Amino acid sequence: MDTAEEGRIYKCLFTGSVSSLLTLPLDMLSTENLLADCLQGCFVVTCTLCAFISLVWLREQIVHGGAPIWLEHAAPPFNAAGHHQNEAPAGGNGAENVAADQPANPPAENAVVGENPDAQDDQAEEEEEDNEEEDDAGVEDVADANNGAQDDMNWNALEWDRAAEELTWERMLGLDGSLVFLEHVFWVVSLNTLFILVFAFCPYHIGHFSLVGLGFEEHVQASHFEGLITTIVGYILLAITLIICHGLATLVKFHRSRRLLGVCYIVVKVSLLVVVEIGVFPLICGWWLDICSLEMFDATLKDRELSFQSAPGTTMFLHWLVGMVYVFYFASFILLLREVLRPGVLWFLRNLNDPDFNPVQEMIHLPIYRHLRRFILSVIVFGSIVLLMLWLPIRIIKSVLPHFLPYNVMLYSDAPVSELSLELLLLQVVLPALLEQGHTRQWLKGLVRAWTVTAGYLLDLHSYLLGDQEENENSANQQVNNNQHARNNNAIPVVGEGLHAAHQAILQQGGPVGFQPYRRPLNFPLRIFLLIVFMCITLLIASLICLTLPVFAGRWLMSFWTGTAKIHELYTAACGLYVCWLTIRAVTVMVAWMPQGRRVICQKVKEWSLMIMKTLIVAVLLAGVVPLLLGLLFELVIVAPLRVPLDQTPLFYPWQDWALGVLHAKIIAAITLMGPQWWLKTVIEQVYANGIRNIDLHYIVRRLAAPVISVLLLSLCVPYVIASGVVPLLGVTAEMQNLVHRRIYPFLLMVVVLMAILSFQVRQFKRLYEHIKNDKYLVGQRLVNYERKSGKQGSSPAPPQSSQE
């Protein structure tokens, strides 16, 4: 009922009418739409709880990570740009921000780095003036911070433990007979209502009135996301208002108000930045991917517009999901590049593996214009990569192979194979086999390393890309002297130290840590430009191969199965990709065996042939027979009684039953591995631990395949024998025989489930009986020694000692 009340309060606040507010007490006692209101209230309460936890966590970030300089001193947020060098480094802040913001004074050939050589001198003068003007404010802020820290430390752990002991589930749910439950309900409803008023109602109406006043209401309504956009606009206006109020409080020396307004501004700022980073940016990437790939699917913008008009929420979610996947794999590829390239090459990208990297601290400390610049640069980079690896290859393919595109992405197929079966086969067999193999990443890493070595030797950039350990050892003393001289002059290091050293030195505030120097060749900027061109050509060729080769192979292989019928290109691409992966795997294995000689190769071939034969037998049993029997049993127990009337004959499709059985078998295996310890879990864990190379065929057949297949065959055959052999001997009518034949499977399932529930309840009642008896009559327990009676036959037996008193 609490969640239903929250849902009705939420609807009342956002209805916008006085009548709903007047009828709110009666609506809270109504039973209409109770389930829908409960679901909406659960969502509202969940959002409220998550927002409250986020606020507490953000407070901890501000307390432990330190507040921004403008908050500790009297400078307003929009004047904090000149102080960002003195801010605590927002863990792992990438040099993409440092390159454009930090001062530099390089030689002529390094003039590409830095923007303002005199920035540090001007900043030092500004800091001295600000420090002279803000002495009083600083002292007062330090006193406030010390008081706040003292308040945080003055808490009694015993009181919190006592409160936690008193707050039990019985008291919270009102099962102890007290009325504290009603008090808890009142407080929960009141706090949630206050939270909705402050964080949802006020920003929404601020944004609504602003949009109405500016005349943008119709455009916002046409977006189908009026509430979300209006609330975000309200938060933006609220942030601007907080900045202005913070500046006014600074001018009139209201220090407590200034700090409170600054903290509120940080909360709103971090919230908006999280929405932009996690919501807006992946959505932009997803839509850009869709727009650049329209010709690949023979679609137009009009089709996408109609799709958005028919299902706006689903369309936006799918585009956001595609964008998130794109961003995730891009970040994964960057992490792989860092494992290959010399430390310092990717100075313009943030290192996500850096233990000091903390994006929340960056959101707190860095000014808005830097986040905006980073966002624009990210959109440009990601958008350019999509143009290079998707739009341009599609144009080339349409020009060279006019009949290859578009891909067939129809929802239904004329092929004699069910789309559902192919989809399940793809999701349960093909993709996991590709994603769970560690060889794929090693191959990609090897290709990147080979390309890097080739490009390095062609352009004489091997030292820059991969490093040169010999030169580093020979010139270590010279590099140390150059580093010291560069730091003393507060300028970019000399040519021999490299392009990244200045950015890393500024970032680490004391010299490049873990930086590997390199040999800088002549015409270095031209060689870097040629490297970028070579990289773009390589990415273009790789994209052309990935878009054509798997689909060609998949279409050719699927044509032997489906003939001339067209099927979804996702399946052909997955089939071709899987075949290409198997081919590359076989070639790499043979290449690894070649140096070992003919005898070793023959022995390896025999071992692998035996292993493949065992694997095929196990696959036929566990991936063929078991899923087929499981899918057929599910069809007889669940699907046929629900979908086929008694006067019709059900039709069974073994292929679809097998595909559904694969899904059910994986679900049952996952549940078994997560459940308690019993014989099936032990056997599955043992088989998984042995792996394919140490496969034990006898153990699998005797302990896993035979018992499971026997149980499934008994579950299928016993009801059929009863319905077809025993029931006709009883002389019942044909209608009754048909009813028994069609309903015996779900009936026996219900009987088995009821027996299992009764057995479980009996065990639970026995445990409850023992627990109550021990609580009532058990005085204590005593550990006694066990003595054999066989050695004391002649002596009189000692009186037995009881373990309970």
Side-chain angles (χ1 to χ4, degrees):
M1 291 298 294
D2 186 16
T3 55
E5 293 173 0
E6 291 297 332
R8 288 165 181 172
I9 292 173
Y10 180 82
K11 288 195 298 184
C12 170
L13 292 175
F14 285 91
T15 301
S17 62
V18 181
S19 60
S20 62
L21 187 62
L22 295 177
T23 58
L24 178 60
L26 297 178
D27 293 338
M28 295 179 66
L29 300 177
S30 176
T31 58
E32 297 180 1
N33 300 325
L34 184 61
L35 181 60
D37 292 338
C38 285
L39 294 177
Q40 186 178 13
C42 287
F43 179 75
V44 172
V45 172
T46 303
C47 293
T48 302
L49 183 61
C50 293
F52 181 75
I53 294 175
S54 301
L55 287 176
V56 174
W57 181 67
L58 181 59
R59 177 187 176 276
E60 294 298 321
Q61 291 289 326
I62 295 175
V63 170
H64 295 289
I69 297 298
W70 58 264
L71 184 61
E72 295 296 338
H73 298 284
F78 45 83
N79 289 335
H83 301 280
H84 64 266
Q85 284 189 356
N86 289 336
E87 295 170 4
N93 179 19
E96 73 170 72
N97 300 323
V98 180
D101 293 336
Q102 301 291 351
N105 188 15
E109 54 216 53
N110 282 347
V112 68
V113 185
E115 289 183 355
N116 188 5
D118 301 326
Q120 282 190 340
D121 298 334
D122 296 340
Q123 181 191 350
E125 295 176 0
E126 292 178 2
E127 287 178 359
E128 291 177 0
E129 295 176 359
D130 292 337
N131 291 332
E132 291 176 359
E133 294 176 357
E134 297 170 359
D135 288 338
D136 297 335
V139 171
E140 199 165 322
D141 289 334
V142 170
D144 294 340
N146 293 333
N147 292 334
Q150 187 176 1
D151 293 337
D152 291 336
M153 296 299 295
N154 290 336
W155 61 280
N156 192 350
L158 296 177
E159 295 180 358
W160 285 90
D161 294 339
R162 190 180 300 111
E165 292 177 358
E166 295 177 355
L167 191 62
T168 60
W169 284 107
E170 290 80 4
R171 177 162 297 184
M172 290 182 62
L173 299 177
L175 300 179
D176 59 345
S178 65
L179 298 179
V180 181
F181 168 69
L182 298 178
E183 181 182 353
H184 292 160
V185 170
F186 172 76
W187 278 109
V188 168
V189 173
S190 302
L191 292 177
N192 285 333
T193 304
L194 181 62
F195 206 89
I196 293 171
L197 279 172
V198 174
F199 292 97
F201 180 81
C202 294
Y204 173 80
H205 283 81
I206 290 174
H208 177 70
F209 293 144
S210 302
L211 291 174
V212 171
L214 296 175
F216 294 147
E217 186 178 8
E218 296 181 358
H219 301 284
V220 174
Q221 290 178 354
S223 65
H224 298 278
F225 294 95
E226 179 185 2
L228 180 62
I229 295 176
T230 304
T231 305
I232 292 176
V233 171
Y235 270 107
I236 294 174
L237 295 175
L238 187 60
I240 297 174
T241 305
L242 289 173
I243 291 176
I244 297 174
C245 294
H246 182 273
L248 294 177
T250 303
L251 293 177
V252 297
K253 304 296 183 180
F254 288 167
H255 300 296
R256 292 185 180 275
S257 301
R258 178 185 59 80
R259 185 175 181 84
L260 178 61
L261 292 171
V263 172
C264 293
Y265 167 72
I266 291 176
V267 171
V268 177
K269 169 189 169 183
V270 172
S271 303
L272 291 175
L273 289 176
V274 168
V275 171
V276 171
E277 293 287 341
I278 300 180
V280 178
F281 182 71
L283 191 62
I284 294 174
C285 293
W287 275 106
W288 186 239
L289 282 167
D290 191 9
I291 292 172
C292 292
S293 62
L294 288 176
E295 294 183 352
M296 187 167 62
F297 304 110
D298 195 17
T300 60
L301 287 175
K302 187 67 176 178
D303 298 333
R304 296 295 182 260
E305 183 180 356
L306 293 176
S307 175
F308 176 76
Q309 295 292 338
S310 60
T314 303
T315 304
M316 297 294 283
F317 174 75
L318 290 178
H319 284 84
W320 175 83
L321 185 62
V322 170
M324 283 294 291
V325 171
Y326 169 55
V327 173
F328 170 76
Y329 279 106
F330 184 86
S332 301
F333 184 72
I334 295 300
L335 293 178
L336 188 141
L337 287 180
R338 291 188 182 277
E339 298 178 5
V340 176
L341 299 177
R342 177 186 61 85
V345 175
L346 300 177
W347 54 267
F348 51 90
L349 294 175
R350 287 178 293 176
N351 188 4
L352 301 180
N353 282 339
D354 189 355
D356 295 330
F357 174 67
N358 192 340
V360 178
Q361 289 294 330
E362 289 188 359
M363 294 178 184
I364 293 173
H365 289 85
L366 299 184
I368 285 293
Y369 82 92
R370 293 184 62 180
H371 290 287
L372 182 61
R373 187 190 61 191
R374 178 189 298 174
F375 177 77
I376 295 174
L377 290 176
S378 300
V379 169
I380 293 174
V381 172
F382 279 76
S384 302
I385 293 175
V386 171
L387 284 175
L388 178 65
M389 300 189 64
L390 191 61
W391 181 82
L392 188 57
I394 291 172
R395 302 296 298 177
I396 295 175
I397 292 173
K398 287 181 71 68
S399 301
V400 178
L401 303 172
H403 300 291
F404 182 77
L405 294 177
Y407 289 161
N408 181 33
V409 290
M410 56 184 176
L411 297 178
Y412 298 97
S413 174
D414 297 331
V417 182
S418 173
E419 289 285 324
L420 177 62
S421 302
L422 283 175
E423 184 178 353
L424 291 175
L425 180 64
L426 171 68
L427 295 177
Q428 303 299 324
V429 179
V430 177
L431 292 183
L434 287 175
L435 298 177
E436 293 178 1
Q437 297 294 331
H439 303 288
T440 306
R441 191 176 187 276
Q442 295 299 324
W443 294 343
L444 183 59
K445 186 176 179 180
L447 288 175
V448 171
R449 184 179 296 277
W451 182 91
T452 306
V453 172
T454 304
Y457 280 111
L458 288 177
L459 300 174
D460 195 17
L461 293 174
H462 183 272
S463 178
Y464 173 74
L465 294 176
L466 296 175
D468 195 350
Q469 297 297 331
E470 295 180 358
E471 292 188 7
N472 292 345
E473 293 175 0
N474 296 332
S475 60
N477 297 328
Q478 182 181 358
Q479 296 300 327
V480 171
N481 296 331
N482 291 336
N483 292 344
Q484 186 65 32
H485 177 71
R487 284 194 295 269
N488 293 335
N489 292 334
N490 197 13
I492 292 296
V494 296
V495 176
E497 195 177 17
L499 180 63
H500 169 63
H503 302 280
Q504 194 73 6
I506 296 172
L507 180 63
Q508 299 294 338
Q509 295 181 358
V513 179
F515 168 74
Q516 293 183 6
Y518 62 93
R519 179 180 57 83
R520 184 180 182 126
L522 298 176
N523 299 321
F524 183 70
L526 178 61
R527 296 176 187 273
I528 293 295
F529 176 75
L530 294 177
L531 177 67
I532 296 174
V533 173
F534 186 40
M535 180 189 65
C536 293
I537 295 174
T538 306
L539 291 177
L540 179 61
I541 296 174
S543 180
L544 287 171
I545 294 174
C546 293
L547 290 175
T548 54
L549 182 59
V551 177
F552 264 128
R555 287 177 179 177
W556 179 70
L557 291 173
M558 298 291 284
S559 63
F560 294 103
W561 185 12
T562 61
T564 58
K566 293 183 177 181
I567 61 174
H568 204 290
E569 294 293 353
L570 182 63
Y571 309 132
T572 60
C575 179
L577 191 63
Y578 199 51
V579 170
C580 294
W581 179 84
L582 289 177
T583 305
I584 297 173
R585 177 63 177 153
V587 171
T588 54
V589 169
M590 293 302 297
V591 170
W593 289 350
M594 288 296 290
Q596 301 180 8
R598 183 180 300 177
R599 181 178 300 176
V600 176
I601 292 177
C602 294
Q603 183 180 358
K604 291 286 186 180
V605 169
K606 291 180 181 179
E607 294 178 359
W608 277 73
S609 300
L610 181 61
M611 184 187 68
I612 290 174
M613 291 294 296
K614 292 181 179 180
T615 305
L616 288 177
I617 295 174
V618 172
V620 169
L621 293 175
L622 298 183
V625 178
V626 172
L628 179 61
L629 296 178
L630 192 60
L632 184 59
L633 182 63
F634 181 80
E635 184 87 13
L636 289 170
V637 174
I638 304 296
V639 179
L642 294 177
R643 298 184 60 181
V644 184
L646 291 175
D647 56 348
Q648 297 181 7
T649 302
L651 299 177
F652 301 101
Y653 299 94
W655 173 257
Q656 294 187 16
D657 294 337
W658 173 81
L660 290 173
V662 171
L663 177 63
H664 298 149
K666 292 198 68 173
I667 294 175
I668 292 174
I671 294 175
T672 302
L673 292 176
M674 292 186 298
Q677 195 72 27
W678 59 307
W679 71 269
L680 184 59
K681 180 180 179 180
T682 304
V683 172
I684 293 176
E685 289 178 346
Q686 183 63 39
V687 172
Y688 184 79
N690 292 336
I692 296 179
R693 297 194 177 187
N694 300 322
I695 187 170
D696 190 351
L697 182 61
H698 181 264
Y699 179 82
I700 294 176
V701 172
R702 182 172 58 89
R703 299 292 302 274
L704 182 61
V708 173
I709 293 176
S710 301
V711 171
L712 292 175
L713 285 176
L714 286 176
S715 302
L716 288 171
C717 296
V718 171
Y720 181 79
V721 170
I722 294 175
S724 300
V726 178
V727 173
L729 299 178
L730 301 178
V732 297
T733 61
E735 290 80 3
M736 181 58 66
Q737 291 183 17
N738 184 38
L739 177 64
V740 173
H741 191 272
R742 295 288 300 279
R743 296 293 185 262
I744 187 170
Y745 287 96
F747 174 75
L748 291 181
L749 175 65
M750 183 178 64
V751 170
V752 172
V753 171
L754 287 177
M755 291 179 62
I757 293 175
L758 289 176
S759 176
F760 176 75
Q761 293 296 332
V762 167
R763 290 197 302 269
Q764 291 297 109
F765 275 112
K766 286 183 179 180
R767 291 179 58 186
L768 179 63
Y769 170 76
E770 293 293 334
H771 181 70
I772 294 175
K773 183 180 71 175
N774 292 335
D775 287 344
K776 186 70 175 177
Y777 300 107
L778 183 63
V779 177
Q781 294 181 348
R782 184 175 59 186
L783 181 65
V784 297
N785 295 328
Y786 174 75
E787 297 179 357
R788 293 180 179 272
K789 296 182 180 181
S790 58
K792 299 181 179 181
Q793 296 291 338
S795 60
S796 59
Q801 294 178 339
S802 176
S803 61
Q804 295 183 357
E805 294 181 356

